[in-house]
Amino acid sequence: GHDIGLTSVPDTVQVKISSSDHLIVLCSDGVWEYLSAQDAVDNLRQNLQRSNPDNAAHELGCAASDQWSEHNESGTIDDITVLLVKLQEQP
């Protein structure tokens, strides 16, 4: 099985934000255990077309939880946190 729990060592990356960027997606490791970055973006894109950012974040968390349930017969699910930051367009 996969390890669960908290760590004090974050995975970080520094990127330059461009005018084509619309969202910053911050998630706990429980999201990334079974979902790729592209899976998350696809999920968010689909849910943002029909809902608001709060609901889209919730749906991504649910998708991550579903993946944990599918891969762990014990019912163990790691912490799952999703935070979306919507970037404003510059005039």
Side-chain angles (χ1 to χ4, degrees):
H2 289 261
D3 292 333
I4 63 167
L6 298 175
T7 178
S8 61
V9 182
D11 292 328
T12 62
V13 63
Q14 186 175 5
V15 297
K16 187 170 185 145
I17 296 173
S18 74
S19 60
S20 65
D21 294 319
H22 303 285
L23 290 172
I24 297 173
V25 181
L26 302 168
C27 298
S28 63
D29 63 328
V31 173
W32 305 124
E33 191 70 40
Y34 296 108
L35 295 177
S36 69
Q38 189 61 55
D39 290 336
V41 168
D42 293 344
N43 180 288
L44 289 169
R45 186 172 288 136
Q46 178 182 16
N47 286 305
L48 284 168
Q49 288 177 354
R50 63 177 186 216
S51 188
N52 63 48
D54 288 342
N55 287 339
H58 176 79
E59 291 299 323
L60 178 57
C62 288
S65 178
D66 290 347
Q67 288 298 309
W68 273 91
S69 294
E70 287 180 26
H71 290 92
N72 291 287
E73 292 178 10
S74 68
T76 302
I77 299 175
D78 199 4
D79 61 296
I80 294 174
T81 303
V82 178
L83 175 66
L84 298 183
V85 179
K86 188 174 180 182
L87 302 174
Q88 291 185 331
E89 294 181 28
Q90 298 296 317

